[in-house]
């Protein structure tokens, strides 16, 4: 047997192992992304192919009076969602772990129930919540509130409330993902640490602050990046729930991009917005990654 | 020889196979027919979820293909997302990957005409048949040289529905609508419902109020003029009509969240609405949805105008057009439109034909409601034949949402909308 044959996969040059992944990524990710950059610097529309290089679309989009409102709505939508997804996901994950540790029945069912929302397609999610938020006299949530002597609430017809409703719909669907990440991270923490904390008579809050939270920092950082990008790209559930209305009250950047391409037929403008989405997502990922970087002892 | 064998096979097909065997999920005809036509259609007829409609069209398609044994039709379904589907269809056609024949929404027809992808189907339609089309339909489907570039096989219109137990007399003016709606509110009903959420139905239904005053969105050269001169006044009047309805309580605030005609059917079924602005096709839906005695209370009337003499209604519908430059395929496409859809297809679904002769040909159109629809169609206005229309619609949706929810004043919102449309037009 030769020496080469005895070499393990990790001992040789990495290139052969990396080539397939690089090729697949280049073909199915980098090339389309580069094409979007090319279209952003063109005058392409849905009815006319690109004819040379132009910055007209870039100038047009950056000076669009609607852009500040759309960016503001996107900022609120993403910020509220990211914070809430983290908090609710973490609470549910820790609740399940605690329940499992105590042998409470129904924990697996609870976990499955939360996960069920995650597999619902965005459009279906929007339609489901659209029915629940229906403001007709027979609307589901308002009828329930009515039984309790509350409401009715203008879930979708009031501009501010419509954004809250869109956030609720997104949270319902997105929480499962955060829960999975945090559940896995929490299960990865050595139980001995909790036993030691118990021996030291540490309370639940102290245990959470000194053991759980520090050891889940990486998971929180990773999850923050993922849900930020995911929320930034959300448009299907909003399209089905409000269409971006009333007015532009719930029109986030991804939906604005969709509308620019399919209403204005402006492929170049849509590409500029897609590049903008890409840049914001990249900046968010880098920022969160930097904030959540492992820090050594002072 | 091969054709003869195929002809014989199809001739005895009834004894060998049912209509369903000739119609599969993606094909009409025998799989080994030598010639193929690709046809992109909506899911409302041949592949309808309504069994009666589906069976009627299966029979029509089976008869059609039995008479043409050397052809098979490969069918491609469109989703309900009209804007996206039609944009994709146009892109594919321009890239040479489109179907040979397709259903094109009437609102998008001008875009397809402008891009020159539609092929004439003159061989199929006689001059008399073209002359019998309603004027706005004839203008839309023909070009300056008289070529038939599409066949608009059914049209629709918007009308005012009312529960006569609450609103006995049909309101003829905007003021009468508000009075009747406020009286209905006092009776515990929602006075009047209409689309005002973020979707095409909102803009199109509302535009009837603008058109009733003679308003024009674009001038003859295609320039945006809806914010200028008399058009501006008409636009603001029409916005004020809706705004007053909401602010007075005649219409509930929730109209800004309505993005579907089904919401009106639901309200009618629940007995909570007194009036709504809906499509003519909803009459048949109400007939099948409501109990007989409840349905008897519902009547339709022409959309009210600012005065009884100023009326308009938006007209839509679907067309069928040839996208293949093969004359045989273009002719077959025209024959599908003529032999299956325009006439028997209309009657099977109760959809409004686009030529007067068809109304006389089928018993389906004997109902009194069709007299009203035919009368209202005299004031029918189609969407402007311009590529900028989808963005005009988008801006009107935004404007109405903002104004009716109190987020913007009409004048400022109109200026913003016009500016946005002009900016978009300059980019097209």
């Amino acid at each position: 047997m030769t020496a080469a044959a005895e070499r393990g996969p990790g001992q040789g040059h990495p290139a052969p192992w990396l080539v397939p992944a690089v090729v697949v990524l280049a073909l199915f990710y980098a090339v389309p992304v580069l094409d979007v950059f090319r279209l952003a610097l063109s005058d392409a529309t849905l009815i006319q192919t690109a004819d040379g290089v132009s910055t007209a679309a870039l100038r047009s989009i950056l000076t669009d009076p609607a852009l500040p409102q759309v960016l503001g709505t996107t900022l609120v939508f993403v910020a509220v969602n990211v914070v809430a997804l983290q908090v609710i996901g973490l609470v549910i994950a820790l609740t399940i772990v605690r329940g499992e540790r105590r042998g409470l029945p129904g924990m697996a069912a609870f976990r499955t129930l939360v996960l069920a929302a995650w597999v619902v397609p965005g459009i279906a999610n929007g339609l489901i919540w659209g029915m629940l938020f229906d403001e007709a006299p027979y609307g589901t949530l308002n009828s329930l509130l009515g039984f309790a002597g509350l409401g009715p609430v203008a879930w979708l017809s009031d501009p501010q409330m419509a954004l809250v409703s869109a956030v609720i719909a997104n949270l319902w669907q997105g929480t499962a993902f955060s829960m999975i990440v945090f559940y896995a991270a929490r299960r990865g923490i050595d139980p001995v640490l909790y036993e030691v904390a118990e021996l030291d008579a540490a309370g639940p809050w102290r245990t959470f602050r000194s053991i759980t939270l520090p050891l889940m920092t990486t998971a929180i950082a990773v999850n923050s990046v993922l849900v930020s990008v995911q929320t930034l790209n959300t448009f299907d559930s909003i399209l089905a729930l409000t269409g971006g209305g009333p007015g532009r009250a719930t029109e986030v950047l991804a939906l604005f991009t969709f509308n620019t391409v399919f209403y204005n037929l402006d492929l170049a403008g849509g590409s500029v917005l897609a590049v903008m989405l890409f840049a914001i997502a990249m900046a968010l990922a880098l920022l969160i990654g930097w904030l959540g970087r492992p820090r050594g002892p002072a | 020889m091969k054709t003869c064998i195929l002809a014989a096979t199809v001739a005895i097909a009834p004894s060998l196979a049912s209509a369903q065997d000739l119609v599969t999920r993606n094909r009409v005809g025998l799989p080994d027919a030598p010639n193929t036509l690709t046809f992109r259609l909506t899911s409302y007829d041949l592949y309808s979820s309504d069994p009666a409609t589906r069976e009627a069209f299966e029979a029509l398609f089976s008869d059609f293909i039995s008479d043409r044994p050397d052809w098979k039709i490969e069918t491609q379904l469109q989703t309900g997302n009209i804007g996206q589907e039609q944009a994709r269809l146009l892109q594919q056609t321009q890239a040479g990957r489109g179907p040979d024949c397709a259903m094109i929404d009437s609102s998008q027809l001008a875009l397809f005409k402008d891009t020159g992808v539609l092929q004439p189907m003159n061989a199929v339609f006689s001059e008399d048949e073209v002359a019998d089309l309603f004027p706005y339909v004839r203008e839309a489907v023909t070009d300056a040289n008289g070529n038939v570039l599409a066949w608009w096989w059914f049209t629709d219109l918007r009308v005012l529905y009312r529960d006569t137990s609450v609103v006995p007399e049909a309101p003829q003016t905007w003021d009468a609508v508000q009075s009747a709606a406020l009286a209905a509110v006092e009776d515990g009903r929602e006075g009047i419902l209409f689309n005002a959420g973020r979707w095409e139905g909102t803009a199109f239904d509302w535009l009837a109020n603008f058109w009733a005053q003679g308003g024009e969105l674009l001038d003859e050269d295609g320039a945006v003029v809806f914010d200028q001169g008399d058009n501006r006044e008409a636009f603001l009047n029409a916005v004020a009509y809706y705004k007053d309805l909401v602010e007075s309580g005649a219409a509930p605030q929730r109209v800004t969240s309505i993005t579907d005609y089904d919401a009106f059917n639901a309200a009618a079924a629940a007995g909570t609405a007194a009036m709504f602005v809906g499509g003519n096709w909803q009459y048949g839906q109400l007939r099948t949805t409501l109990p007989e005695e409840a349905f008897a209370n519902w009547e339709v009337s022409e959309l009210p105008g600012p005065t009884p003499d100023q009326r308009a209604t938006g007209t839509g519908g679907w067309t069928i057009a040839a996208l293949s430059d093969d004359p045989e395929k273009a002719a077959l496409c025209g024959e599908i439109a003529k032999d299956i859809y325009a006439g028997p297809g209309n009657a099977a679904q109760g959809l409004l034909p686009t030529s007067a002769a068809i109304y006389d040909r089928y018993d389906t159109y004997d109902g009194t409601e069709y007299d009203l629809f035919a009368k209202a169609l005299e004031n029918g206005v189609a969407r402007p034949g311009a590529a900028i229309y989808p963005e005009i619609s988008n801006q009107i949706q935004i404007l109405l949402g903002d104004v009716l929810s109190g987020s913007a004043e009409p004048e400022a919102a109109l200026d913003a909308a016009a500016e946005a449309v002009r900016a978009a037009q300059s980019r097209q």
Side-chain angles (χ1 to χ4, degrees):
Chain A
M1 193 173 279
T2 64
E6 289 169 358
R7 215 164 44 210
Q11 293 170 304
H13 197 277
W17 305 100
L18 287 175
V19 165
V22 170
V23 168
V24 168
L25 279 175
L27 269 179
F28 296 103
Y29 186 74
V31 170
V33 167
L34 290 174
D35 203 40
V36 169
F37 275 92
R38 178 185 67 81
L39 287 169
L41 293 172
S42 75
D43 55 359
T45 71
L46 271 189
I47 53 176
Q48 186 183 306
T49 51
D51 183 23
V53 176
S54 167
T55 56
L58 186 63
R59 279 184 278 117
S60 166
I61 292 295
L62 292 180
T63 55
D64 188 333
L67 188 62
Q69 186 187 350
V70 169
L71 287 176
T73 304
T74 309
L75 178 69
V76 173
F77 183 74
V78 172
V80 173
N81 264 301
V82 168
V83 172
L85 281 169
Q86 304 274 21
V87 173
I88 300 171
L90 188 59
V91 168
I92 294 176
L94 295 181
T95 305
I96 291 174
V97 171
R98 199 175 173 83
E100 285 175 343
R101 208 179 64 216
R102 295 187 168 201
L104 286 181
M107 282 299 110
F110 181 44
R111 206 170 55 222
T112 310
L113 199 65
V114 177
L115 279 173
W118 189 44
V119 299
V120 173
I123 289 282
N125 179 41
L127 293 173
I128 291 166
W129 280 97
M131 285 188 271
L132 292 172
F133 287 137
D134 191 349
E135 293 173 37
Y138 43 83
T140 312
L141 285 180
N142 276 348
S143 296
L144 291 173
L145 287 173
F147 286 129
L150 302 169
V153 177
W155 295 105
L156 301 173
S157 61
D158 177 77
Q160 281 78 40
M161 203 58 216
L163 189 56
V164 172
S165 302
V167 168
I168 291 171
N170 195 60
L171 284 178
W172 178 76
Q173 189 176 32
T175 299
F177 181 80
S178 297
M179 185 272 283
I180 297 166
V181 173
F182 292 141
Y183 177 77
R186 172 60 186 81
R187 291 293 295 254
I189 298 175
D190 190 344
V192 172
L193 295 172
Y194 290 98
E195 288 165 15
V196 172
E198 212 170 312
L199 287 174
D200 288 345
W205 173 243
R206 180 64 198 269
T207 307
F208 173 73
R209 201 161 48 86
S210 303
I211 298 176
T212 309
L213 208 52
L215 291 176
M216 288 180 70
T217 310
T218 307
I220 291 171
V222 169
N223 190 50
S224 300
V225 172
L226 294 175
V227 296
S228 299
V229 174
Q230 212 169 38
T231 309
L232 196 61
N233 289 330
T234 298
F235 89 100
D236 46 3
S237 61
I238 298 180
L239 183 68
L241 183 66
T242 64
R248 288 194 191 276
T250 54
E251 189 167 8
V252 292
L253 192 53
L255 184 55
F256 188 54
T257 307
F258 176 88
N259 288 338
T260 300
V261 175
F262 290 108
Y263 277 108
N264 291 3
L265 312 176
D266 187 355
L267 195 54
S271 300
V272 170
L273 290 167
V275 169
M276 198 181 284
L277 262 174
F278 179 80
I280 294 172
M282 186 64 83
L284 268 176
L286 291 174
L287 177 69
I288 295 168
W290 181 76
L291 290 174
R293 70 193 184 283
R295 293 177 175 85
Chain B
M1 182 64 188
K2 194 174 179 182
T3 306
C4 291
I5 295 170
L6 280 166
T9 308
V10 172
I12 59 168
S15 61
L16 299 175
S18 67
Q20 280 181 322
D21 295 319
L22 279 176
V23 178
T24 69
R25 198 63 193 163
N26 56 8
R27 189 193 71 245
V28 173
L30 296 173
D32 51 356
N35 302 311
T36 303
L37 178 98
T38 50
F39 178 38
R40 190 166 299 176
L41 69 169
T42 60
S43 59
Y44 310 125
D45 35 74
L46 182 61
Y47 298 117
S48 170
S49 55
D50 174 43
T53 302
R54 192 172 61 243
E55 282 165 22
F57 275 88
E58 280 176 353
L60 288 170
F61 267 94
S62 296
D63 290 347
F64 181 86
I65 209 66
S66 298
D67 292 340
R68 296 161 182 82
D70 48 353
W71 282 95
K72 66 175 177 290
I73 301 167
E74 285 183 357
T75 53
Q76 305 169 356
L77 267 183
Q78 302 184 34
T79 67
N81 190 332
I82 294 173
Q84 197 177 351
E85 280 289 351
Q86 301 280 289
R88 185 182 298 141
L89 174 65
L90 184 58
Q91 266 192 317
Q92 290 173 338
T93 305
Q94 287 181 314
R97 292 181 283 107
D100 301 319
C101 179
M103 281 196 189
I104 296 171
D105 186 71
S106 59
S107 68
Q108 310 280 327
L109 186 60
L111 183 59
F112 281 76
K113 276 173 76 177
D114 287 350
T115 49
V117 297
L118 304 182
Q119 303 302 321
M121 302 187 294
N122 302 346
V124 180
F125 300 100
S126 69
E127 282 184 15
D128 286 348
E129 285 168 332
V130 174
D132 197 41
L133 291 169
F134 294 140
Y136 69 89
V137 173
R138 189 167 55 244
E139 190 184 330
V141 300
T142 54
D143 65 10
N145 299 320
N147 291 313
V148 179
L149 295 179
W151 198 253
W152 193 328
W153 69 277
F154 83 88
T155 189
D156 55 34
L157 72 154
R158 277 68 192 155
V159 285
L160 182 70
Y161 286 78
R162 73 183 194 286
D163 183 339
T164 54
S165 68
V166 186
V167 185
E169 297 299 323
Q172 302 298 321
T173 63
W174 294 349
D175 288 341
V177 168
Q178 187 165 335
S179 302
L182 286 171
V185 170
E186 283 181 19
D187 284 350
R189 298 282 191 102
E190 289 183 313
I192 179 168
L193 297 177
F194 47 82
N195 283 301
R198 188 84 183 269
W199 82 300
E200 162 63 10
T202 292
F204 194 39
D205 294 358
W206 172 85
L207 274 170
N209 304 304
F210 173 65
W211 286 325
Q213 303 167 80
E216 289 184 351
L217 296 171
L218 304 168
D219 67 12
E220 287 178 357
D221 299 324
V224 175
V225 293
F226 64 77
D227 63 328
Q228 293 169 1
D230 291 344
N231 296 321
R232 184 181 183 87
E233 193 183 338
F235 197 103
L236 291 171
N237 287 343
V239 172
Y241 165 47
Y242 267 22
K243 188 169 183 273
D244 288 347
L245 287 175
V246 173
E247 285 183 352
S248 67
Q253 176 75 43
R254 78 174 179 102
V255 291
T256 58
S257 67
I258 297 180
T259 55
D260 194 331
Y261 289 103
D262 289 344
F264 308 141
N265 289 347
T272 56
M275 293 184 282
F276 65 86
V277 177
N280 65 285
W281 64 91
Q282 290 184 267
Y283 194 79
Q285 293 173 345
L286 289 183
R287 193 201 307 270
T288 53
T289 307
L290 302 182
E292 202 171 326
E293 63 277 14
F295 174 69
N297 288 332
W298 283 90
E299 283 189 12
V300 288
S301 59
E302 208 172 343
L303 287 181
T307 67
D309 299 331
Q310 293 175 293
R311 305 295 185 108
T313 183
T315 54
W318 281 83
T319 72
I320 292 174
L323 302 169
S324 166
D325 53 12
D326 178 340
E328 276 193 79
K329 289 185 176 180
L332 191 70
C333 184
E335 287 165 10
I336 289 175
K338 185 177 175 177
D339 296 350
I340 297 177
Y341 285 94
N346 292 145
Q349 292 177 288
L351 296 174
L352 298 180
T354 54
S355 68
I358 299 176
Y359 284 89
D360 300 331
R361 203 182 300 160
Y362 296 94
D363 295 342
T364 309
Y365 303 110
D366 288 346
T368 52
E369 71 272 19
Y370 288 104
D371 296 336
L372 180 277
F373 295 152
K375 182 172 177 290
L377 273 177
E378 290 170 12
N379 295 317
V381 183
R383 297 165 175 95
I388 194 61
Y389 174 75
E391 179 57 14
I392 293 175
S393 166
N394 186 33
Q395 291 301 329
I396 290 174
Q397 296 161 35
I398 293 167
L399 178 151
L400 287 173
D402 282 341
V403 170
L404 299 184
S405 63
S407 303
E409 287 303 316
E411 292 244 8
L414 172 56
D415 291 335
E419 187 188 345
V421 172
R422 288 198 179 92
Q425 195 174 34
S426 70
R427 296 264 317 115
Q428 287 187 345

